[in-house]
Amino acid sequence: VSLSVQPPGGKVALGDCLALSCAVATGIGPLSFFWHRGGSAKPLGTGPHLELRHVGDKDSSHYQCWASNEDSVAERPRLNVTVL
């Protein structure tokens, strides 16, 4: 599982847009994606992309993508995002 963030470096200005992408290099079957912020058990979003418009102070946290198919689950190490 790979994870990318826009803007690069995990730093975003207050009020700007944060875009995260998650991809799986290998795997077959339908894939499900889940986004989590700050260790929360409740998913922040589903799908390979997560976009947060007009980020605020509460959006400074770590984000994690989980991808799964019928056979396995892969998680991406946490990505730290800082709102400036």
Side-chain angles (χ1 to χ4, degrees):
V1 176
S2 64
L3 187 60
S4 66
V5 60
Q6 289 296 324
K11 295 183 180 181
V12 61
L14 186 69
D16 279 356
C17 179
L18 172 66
L20 301 172
S21 295
C22 188
V24 176
T26 61
I28 59 171
L31 295 171
S32 299
F33 295 89
F34 301 95
W35 292 93
H36 297 272
R37 174 176 56 203
S40 173
K42 181 180 178 185
L44 181 63
T46 59
H49 306 286
L50 177 68
E51 188 172 296
L52 301 177
R53 298 172 188 249
H54 309 291
V55 295
D57 292 331
K58 68 177 176 73
D59 296 312
S60 280
S61 188
H62 61 269
Y63 292 78
Q64 199 164 20
C65 172
W66 295 65
S68 67
N69 63 13
E70 295 176 356
D71 297 322
S72 64
V73 174
E75 77 178 273
R76 171 71 175 125
R78 296 184 291 186
L79 173 69
N80 289 318
V81 172
T82 304
V83 177
L84 305 173

